[in-house]
Amino acid sequence: MTTVGLIGSGNIGGTVARLAVDAGYDVVLSNSRGPETLTDLVEALGGHASAGTAQDAAQVGDLVVVSVPLKAYRAVPVEPLAGKVVIDTNNYYPQRDGAFPELDSGEITSSELLQRHLPQSRVVKVFNNIYFKGLAALSRPSGAADRSALAIAGDDADAKAEVTAFLDRIGYDAVDVGPLAEGWRYQPDTPAYGTLYSASPTDWEHPATGDAAKLRAALAAATR
Ligand SMILES: NC(=O)c1ccc[n+]([C@@H]2O[C@H](COP(=O)([O-])OP(=O)(O)OC[C@H]3O[C@@H](n4cnc5c(N)ncnc54)[C@H](OP(=O)(O)O)[C@@H]3O)[C@@H](O)[C@H]2O)c1
């Protein structure tokens, strides 16, 4: 697997793209306004980055990252993602996204919503609970004492193995939380959300290692 497609290239998508390029992947970026608006980011990322439409990114990506405001999830192209592993970074913020009754009731999780939209893809929830500046700063080589771990959830074991290998290459360990239905354990307002990777609960600007043990404890402490 060599090409990572990005649907959404903002704070988180752009940061994942940076880590992927640094790890030797090619990346194809996309956003809602069109590839011409991504020139600066492509230039900053260097020769292994290019931009296209969301359709292009979905088509050429061996692995595709969806990182858009959740309210835009229905715009994610379905057909070119069939059979692919799709990473879902999205979070539900009603004040930004509007109300989704099935999420408010806890009937399903936000990543199950994307999985329903992409029935032939294998969705894995990851990057949702780490602030983008922390994600950029905490990447470490395999085996480093201060390596951080990211939570993954998904319904397909092979897809999770693929994402675990991707995370390892871009500088993170993985902690498997279980199926997508368990993804609520690191959604907004849980102990694993955000401040797990910062030096202080009130200061997200200073990242701090969130290792597997710390992450597991936070996931176990979550209540719905
Ligand atoms: N910020 C964080 O630290 C963080 C951390 C973890 C998870 N998240 C979650 O990850 C998601 C992205 O967050 P972000 O902070 O990266 O947001 P952001 O900086 O606002 O970037 C959003 C990206 O999505 C694109 N987009 C919007 N609608 C689209 C569409 N219909 N098709 C293709 N691309 C579209 C935007 O393109 P345009 O600019 O052209 O509209 C932009 O590139 C959100 O769900 C957020 O809750 C964020």
Side-chain angles (χ1 to χ4, degrees):
M1 190 258 289
T2 56
T3 301
V4 179
L6 279 302
I7 298 176
S9 304
N11 290 324
I12 278 286
T15 302
V16 174
R18 170 87 265 165
L19 294 175
V21 165
D22 289 350
Y25 292 95
D26 292 331
V27 300
V28 177
L29 310 171
S30 70
N31 64 7
S32 76
R33 289 164 295 153
E36 64 285 356
T37 65
L38 289 163
T39 311
D40 290 351
L41 182 55
V42 168
E43 207 165 292
L45 289 170
H48 288 279
S50 61
T53 61
Q55 189 81 13
D56 296 332
Q59 214 126 35
V60 303
D62 300 299
L63 174 69
V64 176
V65 180
V66 173
S67 192
V68 300
L70 182 127
K71 66 180 171 199
Y73 86 90
R74 290 186 193 86
V76 174
V78 178
E79 189 273 325
L81 292 174
K84 296 193 181 185
V85 176
V86 174
I87 283 178
D88 175 25
T89 83
N90 301 339
N91 290 311
Y92 174 45
Y93 281 104
Q95 62 274 32
R96 178 192 67 191
D97 299 314
F100 284 75
E102 63 275 54
L103 299 182
D104 291 330
S105 68
E107 181 199 325
I108 60 168
T109 60
S110 57
S111 290
E112 288 176 291
L113 200 60
L114 184 66
Q115 181 67 78
R116 282 184 186 183
H117 176 67
L118 303 172
Q120 297 189 69
S121 306
R122 292 167 294 153
V123 172
V124 178
K125 179 181 171 101
V126 65
F127 301 122
N128 314 72
N129 59 320
I130 185 166
Y131 184 47
F132 73 101
K133 292 184 184 176
L135 181 64
L138 293 171
S139 164
R140 296 287 184 277
S142 182
D146 60 347
R147 206 182 207 213
S148 291
L150 296 174
I152 62 171
D155 296 340
D156 183 285
D158 291 341
K160 284 194 280 193
E162 211 173 290
V163 170
T164 299
F166 174 67
L167 291 179
D168 186 49
R169 265 183 73 178
I170 68 167
Y172 286 88
D173 291 332
V175 168
D176 187 352
V177 181
L180 290 178
E182 286 295 298
W184 64 269
R185 288 187 177 275
Y186 50 110
Q187 70 188 17
D189 299 325
T190 59
Y193 193 81
T195 57
L196 184 81
Y197 303 97
S198 60
S200 130
T202 53
D203 180 8
W204 288 29
E205 297 296 324
H206 290 93
T209 305
D211 64 15
K214 200 171 155 188
L215 175 57
R216 281 198 185 94
L219 292 164
T223 52
R224 205 168 189 181

